[in-house]
Amino acid sequence: MPLPACLRGCARLLYCIPVTIIIMVVMWSYYAYVVHFCWILLTCATQRVVFLCLFHMCFGMFSWSFWKTLSTPPSSPSVEFQLSSSDSLLYEQEHGGKEKSQILLEISQKLPVHTRTAARAIRFCHHCQLIKPDRCHHCSVCQMCVLKMDHHCPWLNNCIGFSNYKFFMLFLLYSLLYCLLIVTTVTPTFIQLWLGKLFDSCVKLHVLFLTLVSGMFAVTLCFLLFFHIWLLTSNKTTLEWLSVPFFADGPASEAFDVGVQANFLQVFGKKKSLWPLPVSSSQGDGHSFPLRWQMSSHSHSVMNGNGHYAMEGSVVSPEGVSVTVALDD
């Protein structure tokens, strides 16, 4: 049942609070570092210039990747996965699970769909009226199905998925570098302040809190970044780490793992010059992905004309298992 307009408005405001907090903290850190640390405390002009140049480089890349992660909408499945009007009407008219299952099965035969529910059913979203592509999930916050959904991030008020996962990884990286730069350059002054050698109370508070906050964020970001690097190299999403994907012949935790290099290139693309930049360079269209069991020692993945992955020298896993209808997962 949809929420009233006033409640939806209140929910949108609540969702914006974490993002607002991050922006305010970043703006304060910029002010504290540039004004109180560089301009007031640093006496060496050369050191001040070097620190300001490094800081603004990190700040610029952090802000760029943060904005791209925040503003890039999650990708939803294409129209070919949507039930047509006639199919939708036929599906709703059927009352038996077997008949519904047969309709979905016939439609899915034309689509690059391999994953199933835990009950080995065709994954169907009743909210969006579509057959879910592999690695696609419905987000209850965004109210849509998201391609290669990793998770919904409340701190960014956005779903992290196929369209912005590269941006999210760079956001974590540049956030960590931003915090480490602050901690590294401010720590000597922080020690002097802690020992009481500098007595300006306002400057002291800003620098002390800047060091402490940056250090705490650096520790958190370090763990989060290394976790997502592991997910990236093993070609898993956070949802797939929490719940193993199922196929017609059972669960397979490493189904999409096709090697560290190939896994990395799926997200960052083949152009090395674009790797450090938050611009779109991911491979594929988010609807289909190479499968581990389809790879032989001499096969490699290519793209077909529709933007889906096709396999040369592939061996298709048998999927002759009966399926049942699933309302949602």
Side-chain angles (χ1 to χ4, degrees), residues 297-319:
S297 58
H298 302 290
S299 67
H300 59 279
S301 61
V302 296
M303 300 294 296
N304 64 23
N306 296 324
H308 296 143
Y309 280 100
M311 309 304 299
E312 291 183 356
S314 62
V315 179
V316 180
S317 177
E319 296 185 355

Side-chain angles (χ1 to χ4, degrees), residues 11-25:
R12 282 194 293 267
L13 289 176
L14 290 175
Y15 293 148
C16 291
I17 291 177
V19 181
T20 305
I21 293 175
I22 290 181
I23 294 174
M24 292 177 64
V25 170

Side-chain angles (χ1 to χ4, degrees), residues 24-34 55 59 178 182 210:
M24 292 177 64
V25 170
V26 171
M27 291 175 64
W28 166 78
S29 69
Y30 182 92
Y31 166 75
Y33 189 90
V34 173
F55 176 80
F59 181 79
Y178 180 74
I182 293 176
L210 180 64

Side-chain angles (χ1 to χ4, degrees), residues 71-309:
S71 62
T72 303
S75 298
S76 57
S78 61
V79 66
E80 63 180 315
F81 290 85
Q82 194 90 28
L83 291 189
S84 64
S85 300
S86 57
D87 289 335
S88 180
L89 180 62
L90 183 62
Y91 179 81
E92 294 298 331
Q93 287 178 343
E94 296 292 347
H95 298 287
K98 186 175 181 181
E99 290 77 10
K100 287 178 177 286
S101 172
Q102 187 61 33
I103 294 173
L104 294 180
L105 181 60
E106 291 177 358
I107 299 173
S108 68
Q109 297 300 318
K110 308 171 187 176
L111 302 171
V113 175
H114 298 90
T115 52
R116 301 287 190 265
T117 67
R120 298 181 181 179
I122 299 295
R123 299 197 313 137
F124 181 72
C125 179
H126 266 278
H127 301 286
C128 303
Q129 286 293 295
L130 56 80
I131 293 177
K132 296 180 183 179
D134 293 347
R135 317 183 82 175
C136 174
H137 296 274
H138 184 86
C139 177
S140 58
V141 179
C142 297
Q143 292 296 313
M144 62 181 292
C145 283
V146 179
L147 293 177
K148 196 188 175 184
M149 180 177 174
D150 187 88
H151 68 286
H152 183 90
C153 182
W155 292 103
L156 296 169
N157 191 25
N158 200 7
C159 259
I160 307 302
F162 175 78
S163 63
N164 57 6
Y165 189 65
K166 177 192 174 184
F167 307 152
F168 177 72
M169 290 290 294
L170 292 176
F171 164 68
L172 294 179
L173 173 63
Y174 291 126
S175 298
L176 178 59
L177 292 178
Y178 180 74
C179 292
L180 290 178
L181 175 66
I182 293 176
V183 172
T184 303
T185 56
V186 178
T187 295
T189 305
F190 171 80
I191 294 174
Q192 289 183 329
L193 290 170
W194 189 263
L195 296 176
K197 295 180 179 180
L198 296 173
F199 299 101
D200 189 315
S201 59
C202 180
V203 174
K204 184 174 183 176
L205 284 175
H206 277 288
V207 174
L208 287 176
F209 277 110
L210 180 64
T211 309
L212 292 174
V213 171
S214 300
M216 290 187 294
F217 271 102
V219 172
T220 304
L221 288 167
C222 187
F223 283 105
L224 189 58
L225 177 61
F226 277 101
F227 171 68
H228 277 279
I229 289 175
W230 174 75
L231 290 178
L232 173 68
T233 55
S234 57
N235 209 338
K236 294 180 181 178
T237 64
T238 301
L239 292 178
E240 290 166 354
W241 172 67
L242 293 171
S243 179
V244 177
F246 277 78
F247 295 81
D249 50 357
S253 61
E254 299 180 349
F256 300 105
D257 185 358
V258 291
V260 174
Q261 182 179 3
N263 296 340
F264 178 86
L265 294 179
Q266 281 187 30
V267 175
F268 282 83
K270 294 183 178 180
K271 295 188 68 174
K272 295 182 180 180
S273 60
L274 298 181
W275 288 355
L277 303 178
V279 295
S280 298
S281 60
S282 301
Q283 295 179 335
D285 62 357
H287 292 83
S288 61
F289 303 88
L291 295 171
R292 186 183 184 93
W293 61 67
Q294 291 180 325
M295 306 289 285
S296 66
S297 58
H298 302 290
S299 67
H300 59 279
S301 61
V302 296
M303 300 294 296
N304 64 23
N306 296 324
H308 296 143
Y309 280 100

